[in-house]
Amino acid sequence: LFCLLIFAATTFIHAQDVNLGKGYNKDKAAQTKFQEAQTYFDDGNFLQALPLYRSLQPKYGKNDYLQYKIGICLLYNSYEIDSALVYLLKVKAENPKAADIDFYLARAYHLNERYDDALASLDVYDKGKDNSPDKVAEAKHLREYCNNAKELTAHPVEAQIINLGDSVNTENSEYVPLISTDDSVMIFTY
């Protein structure tokens, strides 16, 4: 019970720290929605947080913090990675000191196959003094991914992709196929 009370108190305090704009302090529905989005975000469930953050856009869409959160969530939506870059670039222009903005920009550049821009953002991020050890390790891996991607795209391998028809291919995503050693079974992510 004590832990639950502490959690509720810190959640309430955290919710009070954010002000998305004019009228937000009196908008209990928006505060509730924002807090729910924050909970999903903090748990790493970015795709659940995204529609909640976006529902706040009509009223509070100009807020940098809201755009920052949406931009990060979009990094996990493979259909909107280009939008992630747009959001994060806007946040960087408005607030260049936003927490880990250069790291997230590097991720967005990487996902948009702009590897030199990603490496440049990582260079800026690496100069930061308040970087968390976890993010520093992620940035190191991201730098390796970018360098590998640059090398691999410089020497492409020719491949032929064949649609296997309706028994496998649908309008949804099917990826990472694995074939058994005897070629009798194919398993893939759907």
Side-chain angles (χ1 to χ4, degrees), residues 98-110:
D100 299 321
I101 187 65
D102 293 300
F103 171 78
Y104 290 116
L105 264 175
R107 287 202 52 214
Y109 281 130
H110 172 256

Side-chain angles (χ1 to χ4, degrees), residues 150-171:
K150 283 178 63 170
E151 185 177 322
L152 291 171
T153 55
H155 304 94
V157 176
E158 191 172 320
Q160 184 179 9
I161 298 172
I162 301 169
N163 185 319
L164 297 177
D166 294 341
S167 62
V168 173
N169 297 115
T170 68
E171 67 276 356

